[in-house]
Amino acid sequence: MQSATHTTIDIDAARNAVRGTVIGPGDPAWTDTTKIFYEFAAQPSGLVVQPCDAEDVAAAIRFARDAGLPVAVRSGGHSVSGHGTVTGGLVIDLCRLDSLDIDVAARTATAGAGITAGEYTTEAGKHGLATGFGDTGSVGIGGLTTGGGVGFLSRKHGLTIDNLVSAQVVTADGTIHEVDAEHEPDLFWAIRGGGGNVGIVTRFTFRLHEVPQIVGGMLILPATADTVAEFVRLALEAPDDLGTIAAVMSAPPMPFIPEAARGQVVIFALMAYAGAPEDAAGVLAPFRAIATPVADLLAPMPYSGLFPPDESGFRPIATSVTGFATGFGRDIAQTALDALSEARTRPGVQMAVVQLRPLGGAISRVAPDATAFAHRDRPIMFNVAAMVGDVAELEGQRGWVAELAAAIADGTPGAYVGFSMADDEEQVHAIYPGATYARLAAIKCRYDPENIFHRNHNVPPAGD
């Protein structure tokens, strides 16, 4: 497709083509509607279309094709690679597709792709039910789900895609498909982990699980090589009912953190025990015993309590590398702590972090070829990140971030599309290895042979 600038786009034609809202550079809402969560990744876009239903999404796609415009798709705007924006093209913003229908008796929920994880979780929680998403409330479920969906309930109930019953997908020719395991199973396979490569998902139907309450919240521990390694070991060996995300980082100046600990490197752990309440204390006790906690905020709470509203106006500037690891023992923990300590002395660094997500459980009990998420046997997912105050300061952080990430992976292949900043060919093959890549390319050839949907971690149609 040919590129274009906003001066060549016929805005009136776009408004005649769709029933939803069309926002151009001269409109008062332009600045807000073109923002994405990661400030450094944004690109100036020509037009933003906010369709009102699947038919309107199809009309927007047809308009873009006819006008020769590149297309970007945005659900919540959290793409770390900035794929929700596109220079001189058309952004299809799904924010108006925010319906949610909860069938308590059937234990299912049908949701528009523009609803956020926090909104869905809060509403489902009113019935004591939940679907596992990620860990951030403002993330749109569209991108999160099509990437896989790794969160607090994944060890117990699987990835988000493992709880997807059916979906509505609009493909590059403007056709609307209703897909599930029996109807167009290849397309259904591809949207479960394949990102936005094969179409725009406008509606999802998920399984709901009974999660009336969890015991969880924050547990902050001092970080040493021994305590970090022990935390990871315990998390991997814990019952599947326990989900954890541990960030090794400097303690922020939060009210519940003692002043003496602020600025010291800690294990900032978010934890969610979703098993029998009477067993929670026993499961969590070994973690509390690793070292005297800096802060212990673990308590009974609704699952939705893990999805508080994001800080208004917060748009981080960061560089990061994601990957998988087979272990995280004392030696690599010390390597990580040394790198984080050194990073704190670098000009411009506001925060340096190693985030560790122990996996396994229900994730690993699904065959690696059952979905387009192929990394079922990886026990640990990690992210190494540096946050800075200005885009100009990013370049100076990329080297140490990549070096530490390589040390943590220690040769373990793979990457998670939802956290991947790099989108070059090497990274795409890391996300979609071998047979997964080949099958996704073949399905892409069938549903998007012209690669209309290329603003993603792109797998070109087979034969390109």
Side-chain angles (χ1 to χ4, degrees):
M1 298 185 68
Q2 296 180 349
S3 182
T5 66
H6 69 257
T7 57
T8 65
I9 301 174
D10 188 334
I11 297 178
D12 290 335
R15 288 176 173 146
N16 289 331
V18 301
R19 290 175 288 114
T21 304
V22 178
I23 303 169
D27 294 318
W30 174 249
T31 299
D32 289 339
T33 55
T34 54
K35 285 180 180 178
I36 60 173
F37 184 69
Y38 296 101
E39 181 176 0
F40 63 89
Q43 295 186 23
S45 301
L47 288 180
V48 176
V49 175
Q50 296 175 337
C52 52
D53 54 27
E55 289 77 13
D56 219 20
V57 171
I61 294 170
R62 289 191 291 268
F63 170 79
R65 288 174 60 99
D66 292 344
L69 299 175
V71 173
V73 183
R74 181 166 68 220
S75 176
H78 277 254
S79 169
V80 73
S81 296
H83 290 149
T85 61
V86 60
T87 299
L90 184 73
V91 175
I92 299 177
D93 183 354
L94 305 177
C95 65
R96 293 183 62 182
L97 306 185
D98 60 354
S99 62
L100 179 62
D101 180 18
I102 296 173
D103 188 331
V104 175
R107 294 291 191 268
T108 61
T110 299
I115 197 171
T116 66
E119 290 166 341
Y120 179 114
T121 301
T122 297
E123 290 303 310
K126 293 176 181 178
H127 306 280
L129 302 171
T131 300
F133 290 113
D135 58 85
T136 302
S138 60
V139 172
I141 68 167
L144 184 152
T145 301
T146 55
V150 180
F152 296 108
L153 298 179
S154 295
R155 299 182 75 239
K156 182 169 186 174
H157 295 304
L159 302 174
T160 305
I161 55 174
D162 300 331
N163 295 282
L164 185 61
V165 177
S166 63
Q168 182 184 69
V169 187
V170 184
T171 48
D173 62 355
T175 302
I176 300 173
H177 305 256
E178 302 289 344
V179 304
D180 57 27
E182 302 297 327
H183 303 89
E184 299 190 79
D186 280 347
L187 186 55
F188 188 57
W189 177 91
I191 64 169
R192 289 178 293 156
N197 269 288
V198 296
I200 301 176
V201 183
T202 52
R203 188 184 68 225
F204 301 91
T205 297
F206 298 102
R207 294 185 191 89
L208 288 163
H209 302 277
E210 292 190 26
V211 188
Q213 181 177 275
I214 64 166
V215 177
M218 287 183 284
L219 178 66
I220 303 176
L221 301 166
T224 67
D226 289 327
T227 60
V228 174
E230 180 67 359
F231 186 97
V232 174
R233 184 189 72 82
L234 289 173
L236 289 171
E237 295 178 359
D240 295 350
D241 296 313
L242 181 67
T244 62
I245 301 173
V248 184
M249 56 183 281
S250 295
M254 292 179 166
F256 50 81
I257 297 178
E259 189 170 348
R262 296 174 187 178
Q264 301 300 309
V265 180
V266 297
I267 304 169
F268 195 102
L270 292 173
M271 310 182 75
Y273 177 75
E278 62 270 20
D279 296 333
V283 172
L284 296 172
F287 294 91
R288 287 170 159 145
I290 291 174
T292 302
V294 174
D296 184 347
L297 281 71
L298 300 178
M301 61 189 297
Y303 177 63
S304 60
L306 292 173
F307 292 79
D310 278 4
E311 183 180 340
S312 177
F314 177 59
R315 297 179 68 207
I317 302 172
T319 184
S320 65
V321 175
T322 185
F324 295 98
T326 56
F328 203 87
R330 189 187 186 285
D331 289 347
I332 193 59
Q334 187 62 60
T335 297
L337 290 170
D338 291 344
L340 292 175
S341 295
E342 195 275 334
R344 294 166 64 191
T345 68
R346 292 177 176 270
V349 174
Q350 296 180 338
M351 183 175 71
V353 59
V354 174
Q355 185 190 74
L356 302 165
R357 296 174 182 245
L359 304 178
I363 301 170
S364 62
R365 291 192 285 272
V366 176
D369 61 353
T371 66
F373 179 94
H375 311 290
R376 297 286 181 171
D377 61 344
R378 304 290 190 260
I380 299 168
M381 178 188 291
F382 71 85
N383 284 290
V384 180
M387 187 183 300
V388 296
D390 188 88
V391 173
E393 296 165 330
L394 286 175
E395 187 59 38
Q397 317 308 324
R398 291 193 173 105
W400 77 262
V401 167
E403 183 177 341
L404 179 55
I408 294 172
D410 194 25
T412 304
Y416 176 52
V417 66
F419 297 151
S420 289
M421 178 175 290
D423 62 356
D424 54 28
E425 186 175 355
E426 180 180 359
Q427 184 75 356
V428 171
H429 280 279
I431 296 166
Y432 305 116
T436 299
Y437 184 97
R439 184 176 178 185
L440 195 53
I443 297 170
K444 176 86 169 180
C445 187
R446 192 186 323 164
Y447 289 100
D448 184 14
E450 299 176 46
N451 207 9
I452 301 298
F453 302 122
H454 61 272
R455 284 291 293 161
N456 45 49
H457 288 84
N458 192 237
V459 177
D464 275 19

